[in-house]
Amino acid sequence: MLKSLMPRTYHIITFGCQMNKNDSEHLAGMLEFEGCKPADEPSSANILVLNTCAVRDKAERRVYGQLENFDYLRRTNKLDQKIFLAGCMPAYDRGEIQKRAPFLDGFLEIEEARRYPPRRTASAEAWVTIMQGCNNFCVYCIVPYARGRERSRSAEDILAEIRGIDFAKHEVLFLLGQNVNSYAGAWQGRTIAFPELLEIILRECPAVPKLSFLTSHPKDMTDGLIDVLSRQPKIDREVHLPIQHASDRILQLMNRGYTRGHYLNLVSKIRARVPQVKISTDIIVGFPGETENEFLETCELIKTTDFFRVNTAGFSARRGTAAAELPPLKQTVVDERLNRLNTLINSLKPLNK
Ligand code: SAM
Ligand code: SF4
């Protein structure tokens, strides 16, 4: 399909996380392999690509808004333009998209794009995805449906990609996965876990100036990983460890697989073993059935844990997930609690330097 469109120019707009941004680099790599050239502006591109995020309703609404902008542009532009969608939204709900955006020309597949080397655009970070998908099925989350089950790349494959990175242009190697702590990839005929992968990368690729990774799941973070963090000075001292909620009842309903006590114990262990570590986290506010007291448990934990960074989001029901079947809180309650938590976090900022 793409070949018949060449030679052409393309423009990609990316929504969502670092993994999506890395996917867009592979999409760019695929389009350039096919002879396309990047265009700085959508108005001068023949191929318009939206790489989408489906994690929250707000992200989806922004995608539909952008699609309408593209459609308007195409109708008023003299250039021959095609509009494609990629990423998490078409991976789980193509029918709905075709209904709402019948003018779309088609979908680009991330799995296919990943066969092409990325065209790296981020200046500081060189992203390398070490695993795709997720097996955890946290009840609110669309990722296991949009990205499928976990698939870990072999260490050989990952090393080959890292050796091709020009570290004169990138300050940090960023390893990506929805749950890097459950990495289980092949290395010299056996299966290795994440701590060993980190050691192999640092040993085999001395040009790596600094190494970071996202995301660690608290239920799978091992003493072995904390040990590697404490011994390897090239590993970034910011550890992202999403707790999502502080109430054990809500954590269980969310299917997170750990308790507040386990999480806080992990934080203490990391702080004791890794000097100058900065711990950041994600919080979901207003999960179905969250009581005022349960919300206050989260506020209390935020006050007392001294996080470096806290990302917050109001619960967003995602069609097809188990949490979408639960009776939701009123949106006004979710918004008010989110507001209150954000105000609290802002008031704590000077403490978290
Ligand atoms: N794999 C990571 C983990 O387990 O922490 C997170 C990946 S998820 C794409 C990024 C963040 O989006 C989550 O940490 C969570 O806080 C938020 N999120 C996911 N689904 C959500 C939903 N339905 N409503 C609100 N926030 C959500
Ligand atoms: Fe979603 Fe949970 Fe998997 Fe993270 S671990 S991607 S929140 S299902």
Side-chain angles (χ1 to χ4, degrees):
M1 173 189 63
L2 285 170
K3 279 231 175 331
S4 63
L5 299 168
M6 306 303 151
R8 293 282 172 128
T9 52
Y10 71 89
H11 186 88
I12 303 175
I13 293 183
T14 309
F15 292 90
C17 60
Q18 272 101 333
M19 197 174 270
N20 268 20
K21 290 176 189 156
N22 182 227
D23 287 343
S24 287
E25 294 180 332
H26 286 276
L27 285 166
M30 176 173 80
L31 290 164
E32 294 198 13
F33 181 85
E34 299 285 355
C36 292
K37 298 263 180 285
D40 289 339
E41 296 299 327
S43 56
S44 52
N46 303 110
I47 299 176
L48 296 167
V49 183
L50 267 189
N51 191 11
T52 63
C53 171
V55 164
R56 283 185 286 273
D57 177 56
K58 196 165 145 197
E60 277 198 0
R61 276 187 274 128
R62 285 176 60 213
V63 166
Y64 281 114
Q66 186 57 53
L67 267 180
E68 276 164 28
N69 292 344
F70 276 177
D71 185 42
Y72 176 78
L73 173 69
R74 173 166 63 179
R75 282 189 277 111
T76 52
N77 200 341
K78 289 199 178 71
L79 207 64
D80 172 31
Q81 295 190 298
K82 304 270 183 227
I83 305 172
F84 294 95
L85 216 64
C88 288
M89 277 172 62
Y92 91 102
D93 209 352
R94 244 165 235 213
E96 174 72 12
I97 295 165
Q98 277 159 334
K99 236 185 351 201
R100 288 182 62 178
F103 52 83
L104 255 188
D105 292 289
F107 300 99
L108 298 185
E109 306 297 340
I110 298 298
E111 289 281 327
E112 193 192 337
R114 285 208 156 268
R115 294 194 207 115
Y116 297 83
R119 179 184 183 272
R120 296 194 187 277
T121 45
S123 51
E125 296 169 0
W127 298 308
V128 172
T129 296
I130 61 166
M131 59 194 294
Q132 296 266 20
C134 184
N135 291 348
N136 287 316
F137 288 92
C138 302
V139 295
Y140 51 80
C141 185
I142 199 67
V143 169
Y145 306 94
R147 290 189 172 264
R149 298 303 93 76
E150 281 174 10
R151 284 105 58 212
S152 294
R153 290 172 72 191
S154 72
E156 284 88 351
D157 198 18
I158 294 168
L159 287 179
E161 183 174 343
I162 295 171
R163 287 189 180 113
I165 296 172
D166 178 359
F167 285 106
K169 291 190 186 146
H170 302 281
E171 292 160 22
V172 48
L173 168 67
F174 227 107
L175 304 179
L176 301 176
Q178 290 300 342
N179 176 12
V180 290
N181 299 154
S182 63
Y183 172 85
W187 167 247
Q188 299 182 339
R190 63 191 174 88
T191 301
I192 58 164
F194 187 56
E196 195 175 352
L197 176 70
L198 290 175
E199 302 233 74
I200 291 168
I201 291 172
L202 291 169
R203 187 179 68 230
E204 304 283 323
C205 305
V208 171
K210 186 174 168 191
L211 189 155
S212 201
F213 53 83
L214 273 179
T215 300
S216 285
H217 195 303
K219 80 175 165 51
D220 295 319
M221 190 161 208
T222 59
D223 289 349
L225 179 57
I226 299 173
D227 191 46
V228 174
L229 293 181
S230 72
R231 278 190 289 104
Q232 292 284 3
K234 279 190 179 178
I235 300 182
D236 192 1
R237 265 45 195 142
E238 183 174 346
V239 175
H240 189 61
L241 197 62
I243 183 169
Q244 311 297 358
H245 209 281
S247 146
D248 282 343
R249 188 185 79 89
I250 300 283
L251 284 173
Q252 194 176 9
L253 285 176
M254 284 179 163
N255 191 31
R256 286 292 288 177
Y258 54 83
T259 60
R260 167 203 180 98
H262 170 86
Y263 184 89
L264 290 176
N265 191 27
L266 206 50
V267 168
S268 303
K269 265 202 269 189
I270 298 169
R271 286 187 170 145
R273 302 265 340 258
V274 188
Q276 271 109 44
V277 73
K278 296 167 180 170
I279 297 180
S280 56
T281 202
D282 293 351
I283 298 285
I284 296 179
V285 172
F287 185 80
E290 178 191 70
T291 64
E292 173 66 13
N293 278 344
E294 286 165 341
F295 167 68
L296 291 175
E297 279 187 64
T298 295
C299 295
E300 191 54 32
L301 182 127
I302 297 294
K303 266 194 240 167
T304 51
T305 309
D306 192 19
F307 288 110
F308 174 67
R309 191 198 315 268
V310 184
N311 305 319
T312 58
F315 169 75
S316 167
R318 308 284 57 219
R319 198 144 47 86
T321 63
E325 305 301 316
L326 300 172
L329 295 183
K330 281 195 188 129
Q331 193 56 44
T332 48
V333 173
V334 178
D335 294 344
E336 188 277 326
R337 287 182 187 167
L338 183 59
N339 231 331
R340 231 186 314 155
L341 181 61
N342 286 338
T343 305
L344 168 69
I345 292 165
N346 287 335
S347 75
L348 295 174
K349 265 195 180 142
L351 300 177
N352 296 339
K353 269 187 278 180

